[in-house]
Amino acid sequence: MLYLVGLGLSYKSDITVRGLEAVKQCSRVYLEHYTSILMAASKEELEQYYGKEVILADRELVESGSDDILRDADKEDVAFLVVGDPFGATTHTDLVLRAKRQSIPVEIVHNASVMNAVGSCGLQLYNFGQTISMVFFTDNWRPDSWYDKVLENRKIGLHTLVLLDIKVKEQSIENMARGRLIYEPPRYMSISQCCEQLLEIEETRRSKAYTPDTPAVAISRLGSSTQTFKSGSIKELAEYDSGEPLHSLVILGRQCHELELEYLLEFADDRDKFRNDVVADQEFFKPAPWVPPQEDDD
């Protein structure tokens, strides 16, 4: 059996009871180690808690060496641990499909992830549209395909969850080209860098998917003891020191309910300004009043 086990957001004990029972019976335990990190638990702490060796699975192993993970999983139990929920990344869907093609039984153990825990900022989950990922820009690579998704969300009034890039066990282009297995130090995108990149792409695209004054909420260390939220405009959050990782951002949609707004005001430095920004923003993409079609006199 291949077990895909969600670990939750922060602590070693966030794993579910069913997930822990599955891990304890497995002969091999892999920890996916590139889409996210468990903020309040190290590999050694997990090993002590599970009573098992934990094998770190980087992107290369998961995407290119999946045969190693699935080895003998038709005869013994293997666990693949994922921070958050197992289906938070498409890579894990691919692993399940590979297992099924080899007739390996698969069991999923779900857990909390940013996709549902984001509701703790006060925004209602059913008011969210498409989620986007913001990657680190480089000198010659500044992708903006996500911009159209924000625009689509905003046109129908929905909030946009922005997942911020992390780089764990990544090689520089030079080391990659020279075949040197030298890895860069881990990097985690900050709220300010994300907002700066948002503003840069809006300046380039000029379709007004959002403006510098568009309201947003910064989410830091979700699910941990130091979890924090900050409400403000994108321009204001571009100057916000969000502290230690991990971070995410929500760009508000036009349909911001009064209860959502009241909750977000708790996290605003200037409550009146933030309320005014939300009211002004609701005019964006506001549907034209419906006019009934005129009937023909005939």
Side-chain angles (χ1 to χ4, degrees), residues 19-203:
L20 184 59
E21 290 174 345
V23 169
K24 286 182 176 294
Q25 72 186 40
C26 287
S27 57
R28 295 197 313 280
V29 178
Y30 294 90
L31 172 61
E32 190 263 71
H33 193 60
Y34 64 93
T35 61
S36 190
I37 59 168
L38 207 58
M39 290 178 286
S42 66
K43 172 179 177 289
E44 292 73 24
E45 288 171 326
L46 292 180
E47 289 178 327
Q48 184 177 13
Y49 190 65
Y50 302 150
K52 296 279 184 178
E53 177 190 3
V54 173
I55 304 165
L56 293 182
D58 59 18
R59 184 186 297 273
E60 183 179 359
L61 175 59
V62 178
E63 295 184 351
S64 303
S66 59
D67 287 344
D68 289 338
I69 297 173
L70 298 177
R71 174 174 44 87
D72 296 329
D74 56 337
K75 299 187 277 294
E76 57 191 29
D77 292 325
V78 176
F80 184 77
L81 312 181
V82 180
V83 175
D85 186 80
F87 288 126
T90 53
T91 299
H92 310 140
T93 306
D94 181 66
L95 184 63
V96 171
L97 291 173
R98 289 172 185 267
K100 290 185 175 181
R101 282 196 288 268
Q102 297 181 39
S103 300
I104 296 171
V106 178
E107 185 167 327
I108 310 299
V109 184
H110 293 286
N111 209 320
S113 76
V114 64
M115 302 295 285
N116 56 8
V118 67
S120 60
C121 75
L123 296 174
Q124 297 164 6
L125 293 179
Y126 47 75
N127 286 340
F128 278 78
Q130 302 170 90
T131 297
I132 67 166
S133 296
M134 180 65 70
V135 302
F136 284 107
F137 286 178
T138 66
D139 291 341
N140 53 11
W141 189 59
R142 311 178 94 73
D144 64 355
S145 57
W146 46 265
Y147 182 90
D148 295 319
K149 293 183 179 180
V150 179
L151 184 60
E152 289 170 3
N153 288 346
R154 296 268 290 160
K155 281 184 175 179
I156 56 176
L158 299 180
H159 311 310
T160 303
L161 173 60
V162 186
L163 303 177
L164 277 56
D165 200 6
I166 73 170
K167 298 290 187 186
V168 178
K169 201 179 178 184
E170 297 277 343
Q171 292 176 275
S172 68
I173 294 176
E174 180 183 355
N175 286 329
M176 193 181 301
R178 294 177 181 272
R180 297 186 297 216
L181 294 178
I182 301 173
Y183 299 101
E184 300 291 293
R187 288 191 296 152
Y188 307 93
M189 183 179 288
S190 66
I191 294 293
S192 59
Q193 184 169 5
C194 173
C195 290
E196 287 169 1
Q197 293 185 182
L198 283 168
L199 294 174
E200 177 185 327
I201 296 303
E202 177 54 51
E203 185 67 24

